[in-house]
Amino acid sequence: MADKPIRADKATAVAELTESFRAAGATVLTEYRGLTVSQLTQLRRSLGKETSYTVAKNTLAKRAAADAGISGLDELFTGPTALTFVSGDVVEAAKGLRDFAKANPKLVIKGGVFEGKAISAAEVTKLADLESREVLLAKLAGAMKGNLSKAAALFQAPLAQTARLAAALQDKREKEGAEAA
């Protein structure tokens, strides 16, 4: 398919899509059949500035994906297909698509690409179920702080035991001294 010549205007569109595939951290393919222009505009706004939602011809999108070195998407390019190119937080974009699809059942998530590998619609949903990057980092920091606190207590334990032993020996000598006197 990639060896057929294409017109100059289509070559430009393929080059733009190829660059979008390469620049995006993830790409999600959706079917938008039955959605109005205002609903698509609402979807674009809800995805944020770091995510673009583009409607493209399947043949051009297939060629662009192949040019970008992405495989495994050919079966997803059926029917009206829109591409969601995610440059920012993939989890937030997946949540936005999932939530919009719940509110508007006509939007169907077909699958996509994450870190250069094809993923299914179920895997996109799993991404949406993850907590945001900030929450995960906060949990990691809390776990690390807890382990450091345990380590500090462990290192202080021998010193505290030595102090208690010295106090006990001093008390014992004072008792023995009082009994001897």
Side-chain angles (χ1 to χ4, degrees):
M1 172 163 190
D3 56 350
K4 291 181 186 177
I6 57 174
R7 293 190 334 226
D9 60 333
K10 291 186 179 186
T12 305
V14 169
E16 289 174 3
L17 287 172
T18 302
E19 183 55 36
S20 295
F21 270 114
R22 288 184 180 145
T27 304
V28 180
L29 281 71
T30 60
E31 183 175 322
Y32 62 93
R33 186 181 314 193
L35 293 175
T36 64
V37 173
S38 63
Q39 288 172 322
L40 288 176
T41 303
Q42 179 186 0
L43 173 61
R44 284 183 176 104
R45 285 186 187 139
S46 69
L47 292 174
K49 293 180 181 179
E50 295 180 338
T51 303
S52 67
Y53 190 76
T54 307
V55 175
K57 288 188 147 207
N58 289 335
T59 54
L60 300 180
K62 276 185 198 180
R63 187 179 295 256
D67 289 350
I70 298 169
S71 60
L73 296 180
D74 289 345
E75 65 274 0
L76 299 179
F77 289 114
T78 56
T81 302
L83 305 164
T84 308
F85 296 109
V86 183
S87 298
D89 189 5
V90 176
V91 173
E92 290 300 318
K95 283 181 183 183
L97 285 169
R98 180 197 59 192
D99 295 344
F100 189 84
K102 281 183 183 177
N104 301 287
K106 291 181 181 179
L107 181 76
V108 178
I109 298 172
K110 296 180 177 183
V113 178
F114 181 62
E115 295 181 350
K117 296 176 185 158
I119 58 173
S120 67
E123 291 170 318
V124 173
T125 304
K126 285 181 185 177
L127 277 173
D129 292 338
L130 289 175
E131 293 175 335
S132 72
R133 183 175 190 271
E134 290 79 19
V135 172
L136 292 174
L137 287 174
K139 285 184 176 184
L140 178 65
M144 290 174 68
K145 181 180 176 188
N147 286 337
L148 290 175
S149 297
K150 288 178 187 176
L154 183 64
F155 292 135
Q156 289 177 350
L159 295 174
Q161 288 175 343
T162 304
R164 284 193 296 270
L165 180 63
L169 285 173
Q170 185 177 3
D171 288 345
K172 184 178 178 183
R173 286 187 184 155
E174 287 176 0
K175 275 187 185 178
E176 288 176 356
E179 288 175 6

